[in-house]
Amino acid sequence: MVEIIRFGHEHIREAAQIEALCFSDPWSEAGLELLTREEAVAFACMADGRLAAYAGMISVLDEGQIINVASHPDFQRRGFARAVLGALVDYADQNGIVTLSLEVRESNAPAISLYRSAGFVVAGQRPRYYRFPTETATVMVRTKKQITAQNQQKTGNN
Ligand SMILES: CC(C)(COP(=O)(O)OP(=O)(O)OC[C@H]1O[C@@H](n2cnc3c(N)ncnc32)[C@H](O)[C@@H]1OP(=O)(O)O)[C@@H](O)C(=O)NCCC(=O)NCCS
């Protein structure tokens, strides 16, 4: 069974394992506690009781910063990252968060493709943003206004 639920304390240990498998500079269990705080929102994709993917953001007023998105290597290419990212985007749309932004390694083609498919566009670059190895970040944003305009173009409404 696959389900999308709010990320909680009970997911932190498995999320830290996924971090270690996916990133050269992984978040620790202590760092991942941030996702359970009041200023954060995060979703977990559970597959047969295992944490398969998660995504989290911090929001201030009408802006959200996406801070983690990852899928366990055993569960990649099954639409689970798209599902947790979609849950975050829906949450943002329903809770007055107008602009979502994120950073991604410029070489991370799979993640950039995922974000594009969720309506994010490239907004700029931050040189030397990442370490291990040092790499430029591509900054991507999604605004509710821009998505509404895209949908109106598709349906022919103005
Ligand atoms: C990027 C990542 C989160 C994608 O997770 P996933 O669960 O495999 O992604 P999904 O199955 O939901 O795929 C959604 C879309 O992402 C893109 N995508 C995912 N994996 C891809 C790959 N290996 N190559 C190219 N595009 C890929 C595609 O656009 C895909 O849509 P499609 O299947 O219709 O082509 C996953 O590869 C991962 O955890 N990577 C390591 C951590 C990471 O880089 N996180 C992002 C940090 S900014």
Side-chain angles (χ1 to χ4, degrees):
M1 188 180 81
V2 175
E3 57 180 344
I4 306 295
I5 57 176
R6 283 293 285 265
F7 185 100
H9 288 281
E10 66 277 21
H11 300 122
I12 288 176
R13 189 179 50 81
E14 279 181 285
Q17 290 166 358
I18 296 174
E19 286 277 324
L21 290 167
C22 286
F23 297 107
S24 57
D25 192 10
W27 284 34
S28 64
E29 289 191 30
L32 287 161
E33 286 280 349
L34 171 65
L35 296 183
T36 64
R37 290 211 209 128
E38 204 176 318
E39 65 270 30
V41 182
F43 290 93
C45 174
M46 304 301 297
D48 296 329
R50 287 176 67 191
L51 180 65
Y54 57 95
M57 74 173 168
I58 301 279
S59 63
V60 179
L61 300 176
D62 63 353
E63 292 189 13
Q65 170 77 17
I66 293 186
I67 48 175
N68 322 63
V69 179
S71 285
H72 191 291
D74 288 351
F75 293 105
Q76 289 180 1
R77 291 317 299 256
R78 297 200 204 172
F80 294 163
R82 175 171 284 140
V84 283
L85 182 63
L88 267 189
V89 166
D90 288 348
Y91 177 94
D93 285 350
Q94 288 159 20
N95 287 276
I97 297 171
V98 177
T99 307
L100 284 173
S101 61
L102 59 85
E103 282 92 16
V104 54
R105 284 184 185 269
E106 65 175 353
S107 66
N108 193 345
I112 291 170
S113 173
L114 165 69
Y115 298 137
R116 279 192 200 284
S117 72
F120 287 79
V121 297
V122 173
Q125 302 217 295
R126 294 194 210 285
R128 304 179 64 80
Y129 181 84
Y130 290 104
R131 54 180 192 162
F132 311 135
T134 302
E135 187 174 343
T136 294
T138 295
V139 180
M140 300 183 78
V141 298
R142 177 192 188 276
T143 64
K144 200 174 175 185
K145 198 171 148 198
Q146 153 210 328
I147 295 300
T148 306
Q150 279 173 8
N151 289 342
Q152 281 177 343
Q153 272 177 3
K154 275 186 207 154
T155 58
N157 297 326
N158 277 314

mmCIF file of all heavy atoms in Angstrom, residues 129-156:
data_model
loop_
_atom_site.group_PDB
_atom_site.id
_atom_site.type_symbol
_atom_site.label_atom_id
_atom_site.label_comp_id
_atom_site.label_asym_id
_atom_site.label_seq_id
_atom_site.Cartn_x
_atom_site.Cartn_y
_atom_site.Cartn_z
ATOM 1 N N TYR A 129 27.580 27.223 -4.108
ATOM 2 C CA TYR A 129 26.575 27.086 -3.039
ATOM 3 C C TYR A 129 26.761 25.761 -2.292
ATOM 4 O O TYR A 129 26.570 25.685 -1.081
ATOM 5 C CB TYR A 129 25.185 27.160 -3.662
ATOM 6 C CG TYR A 129 24.044 27.069 -2.683
ATOM 7 C CD1 TYR A 129 23.585 28.195 -2.003
ATOM 8 C CD2 TYR A 129 23.397 25.844 -2.451
ATOM 9 C CE1 TYR A 129 22.516 28.112 -1.113
ATOM 10 C CE2 TYR A 129 22.336 25.758 -1.562
ATOM 11 C CZ TYR A 129 21.905 26.888 -0.902
ATOM 12 O OH TYR A 129 20.848 26.798 -0.024
ATOM 13 N N TYR A 130 27.108 24.709 -3.037
ATOM 14 C CA TYR A 130 27.230 23.371 -2.437
ATOM 15 C C TYR A 130 28.686 23.024 -2.152
ATOM 16 O O TYR A 130 29.594 23.512 -2.821
ATOM 17 C CB TYR A 130 26.655 22.314 -3.388
ATOM 18 C CG TYR A 130 25.157 22.378 -3.536
ATOM 19 C CD1 TYR A 130 24.579 22.915 -4.678
ATOM 20 C CD2 TYR A 130 24.326 21.906 -2.533
ATOM 21 C CE1 TYR A 130 23.202 22.976 -4.812
ATOM 22 C CE2 TYR A 130 22.940 21.963 -2.663
ATOM 23 C CZ TYR A 130 22.389 22.500 -3.807
ATOM 24 O OH TYR A 130 21.036 22.558 -3.942
ATOM 25 N N ARG A 131 28.874 22.114 -1.183
ATOM 26 C CA ARG A 131 30.205 21.561 -0.914
ATOM 27 C C ARG A 131 30.134 20.035 -1.075
ATOM 28 O O ARG A 131 29.069 19.454 -1.156
ATOM 29 C CB ARG A 131 30.663 21.940 0.492
ATOM 30 C CG ARG A 131 29.688 21.553 1.571
ATOM 31 C CD ARG A 131 30.172 21.956 2.947
ATOM 32 N NE ARG A 131 29.339 21.300 3.949
ATOM 33 C CZ ARG A 131 29.661 21.145 5.215
ATOM 34 N NH1 ARG A 131 30.809 21.613 5.666
ATOM 35 N NH2 ARG A 131 28.858 20.523 6.060
ATOM 36 N N PHE A 132 31.297 19.417 -1.120
ATOM 37 C CA PHE A 132 31.423 17.937 -1.246
ATOM 38 C C PHE A 132 30.677 17.394 -2.447
ATOM 39 O O PHE A 132 29.789 16.534 -2.263
ATOM 40 C CB PHE A 132 30.973 17.228 0.030
ATOM 41 C CG PHE A 132 31.547 17.750 1.296
ATOM 42 C CD1 PHE A 132 30.732 17.967 2.408
ATOM 43 C CD2 PHE A 132 32.909 18.015 1.415
ATOM 44 C CE1 PHE A 132 31.250 18.432 3.584
ATOM 45 C CE2 PHE A 132 33.431 18.483 2.598
ATOM 46 C CZ PHE A 132 32.614 18.691 3.684
ATOM 47 N N PRO A 133 30.961 17.701 -3.670
ATOM 48 C CA PRO A 133 31.952 18.678 -4.111
ATOM 49 C C PRO A 133 31.328 20.066 -4.256
ATOM 50 O O PRO A 133 30.095 20.199 -4.349
ATOM 51 C CB PRO A 133 32.340 18.136 -5.494
ATOM 52 C CG PRO A 133 31.061 17.540 -6.004
ATOM 53 C CD PRO A 133 30.360 16.967 -4.795
ATOM 54 N N THR A 134 32.209 21.057 -4.336
ATOM 55 C CA THR A 134 31.751 22.430 -4.575
ATOM 56 C C THR A 134 31.020 22.479 -5.919
ATOM 57 O O THR A 134 31.500 21.933 -6.916
ATOM 58 C CB THR A 134 32.954 23.383 -4.605
ATOM 59 O OG1 THR A 134 33.631 23.271 -3.361
ATOM 60 C CG2 THR A 134 32.509 24.823 -4.823
ATOM 61 N N GLU A 135 29.853 23.107 -5.908
ATOM 62 C CA GLU A 135 29.070 23.175 -7.155
ATOM 63 C C GLU A 135 28.093 24.345 -7.092
ATOM 64 O O GLU A 135 27.619 24.727 -6.013
ATOM 65 C CB GLU A 135 28.289 21.862 -7.367
ATOM 66 C CG GLU A 135 27.580 21.793 -8.713
ATOM 67 C CD GLU A 135 26.939 20.426 -8.983
ATOM 68 O OE1 GLU A 135 27.280 19.431 -8.307
ATOM 69 O OE2 GLU A 135 26.092 20.382 -9.889
ATOM 70 N N THR A 136 27.794 24.863 -8.245
ATOM 71 C CA THR A 136 26.795 25.935 -8.383
ATOM 72 C C THR A 136 25.391 25.381 -8.137
ATOM 73 O O THR A 136 25.076 24.260 -8.552
ATOM 74 C CB THR A 136 26.871 26.517 -9.807
ATOM 75 O OG1 THR A 136 28.127 27.151 -9.946
ATOM 76 C CG2 THR A 136 25.757 27.517 -10.092
ATOM 77 N N ALA A 137 24.570 26.182 -7.456
ATOM 78 C CA ALA A 137 23.153 25.840 -7.310
ATOM 79 C C ALA A 137 22.348 26.541 -8.391
ATOM 80 O O ALA A 137 22.563 27.719 -8.670
ATOM 81 C CB ALA A 137 22.640 26.285 -5.944
ATOM 82 N N THR A 138 21.424 25.792 -8.975
ATOM 83 C CA THR A 138 20.392 26.396 -9.819
ATOM 84 C C THR A 138 19.215 26.729 -8.903
ATOM 85 O O THR A 138 18.777 25.872 -8.129
ATOM 86 C CB THR A 138 19.953 25.404 -10.912
ATOM 87 O OG1 THR A 138 21.072 25.178 -11.778
ATOM 88 C CG2 THR A 138 18.778 25.942 -11.724
ATOM 89 N N VAL A 139 18.748 27.979 -8.974
ATOM 90 C CA VAL A 139 17.610 28.404 -8.162
ATOM 91 C C VAL A 139 16.352 28.270 -9.026
ATOM 92 O O VAL A 139 16.336 28.728 -10.172
ATOM 93 C CB VAL A 139 17.771 29.876 -7.706
ATOM 94 C CG1 VAL A 139 16.577 30.311 -6.852
ATOM 95 C CG2 VAL A 139 19.079 30.052 -6.943
ATOM 96 N N MET A 140 15.347 27.618 -8.471
ATOM 97 C CA MET A 140 14.094 27.455 -9.223
ATOM 98 C C MET A 140 12.933 27.989 -8.378
ATOM 99 O O MET A 140 12.948 27.872 -7.145
ATOM 100 C CB MET A 140 13.858 25.980 -9.574
ATOM 101 C CG MET A 140 14.982 25.410 -10.423
ATOM 102 S SD MET A 140 14.700 23.692 -10.941
ATOM 103 C CE MET A 140 13.535 23.925 -12.304
ATOM 104 N N VAL A 141 11.956 28.575 -9.051
ATOM 105 C CA VAL A 141 10.794 29.121 -8.328
ATOM 106 C C VAL A 141 9.493 28.704 -9.023
ATOM 107 O O VAL A 141 9.466 28.419 -10.220
ATOM 108 C CB VAL A 141 10.825 30.672 -8.223
ATOM 109 C CG1 VAL A 141 12.032 31.145 -7.444
ATOM 110 C CG2 VAL A 141 10.744 31.314 -9.570
ATOM 111 N N ARG A 142 8.465 28.714 -8.225
ATOM 112 C CA ARG A 142 7.108 28.461 -8.736
ATOM 113 C C ARG A 142 6.198 29.457 -8.045
ATOM 114 O O ARG A 142 6.151 29.504 -6.819
ATOM 115 C CB ARG A 142 6.662 27.044 -8.389
ATOM 116 C CG ARG A 142 5.235 26.707 -8.801
ATOM 117 C CD ARG A 142 4.824 25.396 -8.147
ATOM 118 N NE ARG A 142 3.552 24.918 -8.638
ATOM 119 C CZ ARG A 142 2.364 25.308 -8.180
ATOM 120 N NH1 ARG A 142 2.281 26.229 -7.234
ATOM 121 N NH2 ARG A 142 1.249 24.792 -8.670
ATOM 122 N N THR A 143 5.515 30.283 -8.828
ATOM 123 C CA THR A 143 4.577 31.219 -8.207
ATOM 124 C C THR A 143 3.163 30.828 -8.593
ATOM 125 O O THR A 143 2.917 30.377 -9.715
ATOM 126 C CB THR A 143 4.822 32.683 -8.643
ATOM 127 O OG1 THR A 143 4.584 32.772 -10.032
ATOM 128 C CG2 THR A 143 6.229 33.138 -8.322
ATOM 129 N N LYS A 144 2.252 31.025 -7.673
ATOM 130 C CA LYS A 144 0.861 30.642 -7.932
ATOM 131 C C LYS A 144 0.313 31.433 -9.120
ATOM 132 O O LYS A 144 -0.397 30.904 -9.964
ATOM 133 C CB LYS A 144 0.036 30.894 -6.675
ATOM 134 C CG LYS A 144 -1.242 30.127 -6.644
ATOM 135 C CD LYS A 144 -1.956 30.282 -5.331
ATOM 136 C CE LYS A 144 -3.301 29.590 -5.399
ATOM 137 N NZ LYS A 144 -4.080 29.823 -4.188
ATOM 138 N N LYS A 145 0.715 32.738 -9.204
ATOM 139 C CA LYS A 145 0.242 33.596 -10.292
ATOM 140 C C LYS A 145 0.668 33.029 -11.654
ATOM 141 O O LYS A 145 -0.121 32.944 -12.589
ATOM 142 C CB LYS A 145 0.849 34.987 -10.088
ATOM 143 C CG LYS A 145 0.175 36.101 -10.820
ATOM 144 C CD LYS A 145 0.765 37.425 -10.339
ATOM 145 C CE LYS A 145 0.765 38.425 -11.464
ATOM 146 N NZ LYS A 145 1.679 39.520 -11.202
ATOM 147 N N GLN A 146 1.953 32.615 -11.709
ATOM 148 C CA GLN A 146 2.491 32.099 -12.970
ATOM 149 C C GLN A 146 1.776 30.802 -13.369
ATOM 150 O O GLN A 146 1.431 30.591 -14.525
ATOM 151 C CB GLN A 146 3.990 31.878 -12.749
ATOM 152 C CG GLN A 146 4.712 30.839 -13.559
ATOM 153 C CD GLN A 146 5.889 30.279 -12.718
ATOM 154 O OE1 GLN A 146 6.482 30.968 -11.920
ATOM 155 N NE2 GLN A 146 6.197 29.010 -12.907
ATOM 156 N N ILE A 147 1.462 29.960 -12.373
ATOM 157 C CA ILE A 147 0.770 28.702 -12.668
ATOM 158 C C ILE A 147 -0.660 28.987 -13.135
ATOM 159 O O ILE A 147 -1.144 28.403 -14.089
ATOM 160 C CB ILE A 147 0.747 27.795 -11.405
ATOM 161 C CG1 ILE A 147 2.184 27.396 -11.046
ATOM 162 C CG2 ILE A 147 -0.117 26.563 -11.626
ATOM 163 C CD1 ILE A 147 2.922 26.629 -12.104
ATOM 164 N N THR A 148 -1.320 29.944 -12.474
ATOM 165 C CA THR A 148 -2.681 30.300 -12.878
ATOM 166 C C THR A 148 -2.675 30.802 -14.324
ATOM 167 O O THR A 148 -3.516 30.415 -15.136
ATOM 168 C CB THR A 148 -3.236 31.398 -11.937
ATOM 169 O OG1 THR A 148 -3.111 30.926 -10.596
ATOM 170 C CG2 THR A 148 -4.698 31.689 -12.223
ATOM 171 N N ALA A 149 -1.675 31.639 -14.672
ATOM 172 C CA ALA A 149 -1.576 32.170 -16.041
ATOM 173 C C ALA A 149 -1.346 31.036 -17.040
ATOM 174 O O ALA A 149 -1.975 30.998 -18.103
ATOM 175 C CB ALA A 149 -0.445 33.200 -16.116
ATOM 176 N N GLN A 150 -0.470 30.085 -16.680
ATOM 177 C CA GLN A 150 -0.202 28.947 -17.580
ATOM 178 C C GLN A 150 -1.477 28.143 -17.813
ATOM 179 O O GLN A 150 -1.796 27.762 -18.933
ATOM 180 C CB GLN A 150 0.860 28.024 -16.968
ATOM 181 C CG GLN A 150 2.287 28.512 -17.172
ATOM 182 C CD GLN A 150 3.288 27.643 -16.405
ATOM 183 O OE1 GLN A 150 2.929 26.617 -15.847
ATOM 184 N NE2 GLN A 150 4.519 28.079 -16.372
ATOM 185 N N ASN A 151 -2.249 27.918 -16.738
ATOM 186 C CA ASN A 151 -3.482 27.143 -16.867
ATOM 187 C C ASN A 151 -4.510 27.885 -17.710
ATOM 188 O O ASN A 151 -5.225 27.276 -18.509
ATOM 189 C CB ASN A 151 -4.054 26.819 -15.476
ATOM 190 C CG ASN A 151 -3.200 25.797 -14.754
ATOM 191 O OD1 ASN A 151 -2.413 25.096 -15.379
ATOM 192 N ND2 ASN A 151 -3.355 25.713 -13.449
ATOM 193 N N GLN A 152 -4.561 29.243 -17.554
ATOM 194 C CA GLN A 152 -5.516 30.018 -18.346
ATOM 195 C C GLN A 152 -5.154 29.953 -19.826
ATOM 196 O O GLN A 152 -6.021 29.844 -20.680
ATOM 197 C CB GLN A 152 -5.520 31.469 -17.870
ATOM 198 C CG GLN A 152 -6.340 31.632 -16.597
ATOM 199 C CD GLN A 152 -6.317 33.041 -16.054
ATOM 200 O OE1 GLN A 152 -5.457 33.835 -16.427
ATOM 201 N NE2 GLN A 152 -7.241 33.345 -15.177
ATOM 202 N N GLN A 153 -3.827 29.984 -20.120
ATOM 203 C CA GLN A 153 -3.396 29.890 -21.522
ATOM 204 C C GLN A 153 -3.840 28.561 -22.119
ATOM 205 O O GLN A 153 -4.344 28.486 -23.230
ATOM 206 C CB GLN A 153 -1.878 30.003 -21.607
ATOM 207 C CG GLN A 153 -1.413 31.446 -21.718
ATOM 208 C CD GLN A 153 0.097 31.553 -21.720
ATOM 209 O OE1 GLN A 153 0.802 30.553 -21.685
ATOM 210 N NE2 GLN A 153 0.597 32.762 -21.761
ATOM 211 N N LYS A 154 -3.670 27.476 -21.297
ATOM 212 C CA LYS A 154 -4.034 26.145 -21.789
ATOM 213 C C LYS A 154 -5.521 26.055 -22.090
ATOM 214 O O LYS A 154 -5.943 25.430 -23.049
ATOM 215 C CB LYS A 154 -3.679 25.090 -20.725
ATOM 216 C CG LYS A 154 -2.230 24.632 -20.796
ATOM 217 C CD LYS A 154 -1.992 23.486 -19.821
ATOM 218 C CE LYS A 154 -0.549 23.468 -19.382
ATOM 219 N NZ LYS A 154 -0.370 22.849 -18.079
ATOM 220 N N THR A 155 -6.353 26.699 -21.239
ATOM 221 C CA THR A 155 -7.807 26.591 -21.440
ATOM 222 C C THR A 155 -8.352 27.712 -22.301
ATOM 223 O O THR A 155 -9.535 27.765 -22.590
ATOM 224 C CB THR A 155 -8.536 26.616 -20.074
ATOM 225 O OG1 THR A 155 -8.184 27.821 -19.403
ATOM 226 C CG2 THR A 155 -8.168 25.426 -19.224
ATOM 227 N N GLY A 156 -7.480 28.678 -22.686
ATOM 228 C CA GLY A 156 -7.914 29.766 -23.542
ATOM 229 C C GLY A 156 -8.616 30.894 -22.816
ATOM 230 O O GLY A 156 -9.176 31.781 -23.430
#
